[in-house]
Amino acid sequence: MTTRVIHSPTESDLKDAAEIIKVGGLVVFPTETVYGLGANALDPDAARRIYEAKGRPSDNPLIIHLPSVDEVKKYACPPDIYFELAKRFLPGPLTVVMPKKDVIPDTVSAGLPTVAVRVPSHPTASRLCRLAAVPIAAPSANLSGRPSVTTLKAAIEDMDGRADMIIDGGESDIGLESTIISLAGEPTLLRPGGITLEQLRSVIPDIKIGGAVKEKYDGRAIAPGMKYRHYAPDMPVVLLDGSDEAFFACVAERCAALAAENKACGVLCYDEDLPHITPAVREMLSLGPKSDESAAAHRLFTLLRSFSGVDVVYGRLPKSEGLGLAVFNRLVKAAGFDIVKL
Ligand code: AMP
Ligand code: MG
């Protein structure tokens, strides 16, 4: 398949993109979180193409994207609290899981009685949803298992030849996927993201925290079922949990041990760490200043994709508050929960 790449999309380009969606094709489009790989959510064959293009397991449901909160009731059964959340956070980086209506095919919901709904704020995404006039099912536009796509370069790397069109939107603003909550039972945070837990608590004070968020590393063993990799670069990532001094010493020691085997190591750290890391490290990439969680969110996936000539990447365990919780969640998964307590 030849993939058309569109820069600075015009209204006429977006109409073409909407037409591709309507006839069952695939369009990579920018959103405020990450790039999405979109298809008509009402067409099971189109939705199936998303799974094929990504190499995504068919039991992992898709998020549907709508141009406005007014359309949600056509596809899902929102409880009253949904509209309270919508007033505060939508359009924006919040996905809500709710009981689904029958029009949403099982291919999209992966057989679940629920559907995940998002109303994006990015003008291109929003306009595309409006023009397509059908809900757009769109997971992140990466190959399954790889870091999500936050730049045109990454979109082309993963989706050239797999999607009909890629729309350039520059660098994604937030850089991490949406926050997902479920309102299908007790309100529960399923995935941390652009809207923080603290923000959600201002509307739902007693929101629960789902297993996949909470089963975070706390110095003890991680449940074996959690040992799969996601968001992963081509080499292993190991997270080091300790003081600055312990981190620098451990990196120096491990890097020397790897060099003895003719192997090289990379480091993912913060600006403040850079002067203290052994020059023996081959690739040293910074998430930005330690206190700037949005810089870390913005850079994380691009940095994970850019390590190339190293055998192992050592990273620091981020703080897990605010937007940091989302960075923490993605990094721990990229490391396949390989965390060393120093
Ligand atoms: P992505 O593929 O990166 O866009 O991520 C989509 C996420 O939404 C996955 O982690 C799914 O498991 C989650 N998701 C989508 N639909 C549902 C649903 N009905 N119930 C629970 N999680 C969902
Ligand atoms: Mg994804």
Side-chain angles (χ1 to χ4, degrees):
M1 167 192 300
T2 309
T3 304
R4 209 175 131 198
V5 178
I6 303 288
H7 305 282
S8 317
T10 61
E11 178 74 2
S12 144
D13 292 328
L14 292 180
K15 281 185 179 153
D16 289 353
E19 199 48 41
I20 292 173
I21 300 271
K22 281 182 195 164
V23 301
L26 299 180
V27 175
V28 174
F29 63 98
T31 82
E32 69 278 19
T33 58
V34 300
Y35 279 72
L37 172 66
N40 181 353
L42 302 182
D43 174 353
D45 291 329
R48 207 167 291 121
R49 277 184 207 117
I50 292 179
Y51 289 93
E52 280 164 21
K54 280 180 62 90
R56 179 182 176 103
S58 60
D59 62 355
N60 193 359
L62 305 174
I63 294 173
I64 68 164
H65 294 67
L66 300 175
S68 126
V69 170
D70 301 340
E71 306 229 340
V72 172
K73 282 186 173 168
K74 291 190 200 166
Y75 309 105
C77 310
D80 293 344
I81 191 76
Y82 174 79
F83 297 98
E84 294 300 312
L85 288 165
K87 259 190 251 162
R88 284 286 305 277
F89 304 121
L90 299 182
L94 176 66
T95 297
V96 182
V97 173
M98 296 173 274
K100 81 174 184 73
K101 294 229 162 127
D102 289 344
V103 280
I104 298 296
D106 281 348
T107 329
V108 168
S109 67
L112 296 171
T114 52
V115 64
V117 181
R118 179 156 126 70
V119 179
S121 62
H122 192 289
T124 303
S126 182
R127 189 71 193 142
L128 180 60
C129 289
R130 177 69 67 198
L131 291 169
V134 289
I136 299 182
S140 49
N142 52 286
L143 292 172
S144 199
R146 298 259 298 146
S148 299
V149 167
T150 56
T151 62
L152 177 70
K153 179 171 172 278
I156 292 174
E157 245 167 49
D158 280 19
M159 286 300 144
D160 189 31
R162 292 173 183 267
D164 298 279
M165 182 186 273
I166 297 176
I167 304 175
D168 183 4
E171 282 185 25
S172 306
D173 189 19
I174 297 173
L176 295 181
E177 305 84 346
S178 59
T179 299
I180 305 181
I181 65 167
S182 172
L183 295 181
E186 279 188 303
T188 305
L189 175 67
L190 300 180
R191 176 175 77 184
I195 300 293
T196 65
L197 182 58
E198 292 79 357
Q199 285 175 301
L200 292 170
R201 282 187 175 138
S202 69
V203 181
I204 310 180
D206 56 349
I207 189 166
K208 304 264 176 308
I209 301 180
V213 181
K214 251 248 161 120
E215 302 255 331
K216 60 185 191 190
Y217 176 71
D218 61 1
R220 288 172 294 142
I222 296 293
M226 304 294 286
K227 280 197 174 283
Y228 68 95
R229 285 185 92 206
H230 200 150
Y231 312 115
D234 300 330
M235 65 290 295
V237 176
V238 180
L239 295 178
L240 305 177
D241 178 16
S243 66
D244 291 350
E245 291 67 30
F247 176 75
F248 305 140
C250 181
V251 166
E253 189 184 305
R254 289 189 171 221
C255 190
L258 282 167
E261 298 171 32
N262 244 335
K263 289 183 177 164
C265 83
V267 164
L268 183 62
C269 61
Y270 296 97
D271 287 356
E272 294 87 334
D273 300 327
L274 292 170
H276 305 288
I277 290 170
T278 169
V281 168
R282 185 172 298 167
E283 290 172 16
M284 219 183 285
L285 301 178
S286 171
L287 290 163
K290 247 184 200 162
S291 58
D292 190 346
E293 286 150 2
S294 55
H298 185 78
R299 291 182 196 182
L300 179 67
F301 287 135
T302 301
L303 298 188
L304 287 176
R305 278 175 180 265
S306 60
F307 285 105
S308 59
V310 297
D311 299 280
V312 185
V313 171
Y314 293 104
R316 299 205 69 165
L317 201 66
K319 280 191 306 189
S320 55
E321 286 122 46
L323 192 54
L325 179 62
V327 176
F328 180 107
N329 170 273
R330 306 307 189 276
L331 251 182
V332 161
K333 288 187 175 175
F337 296 90
D338 190 351
I339 303 167
V340 179
K341 179 96 181 151
L342 301 176

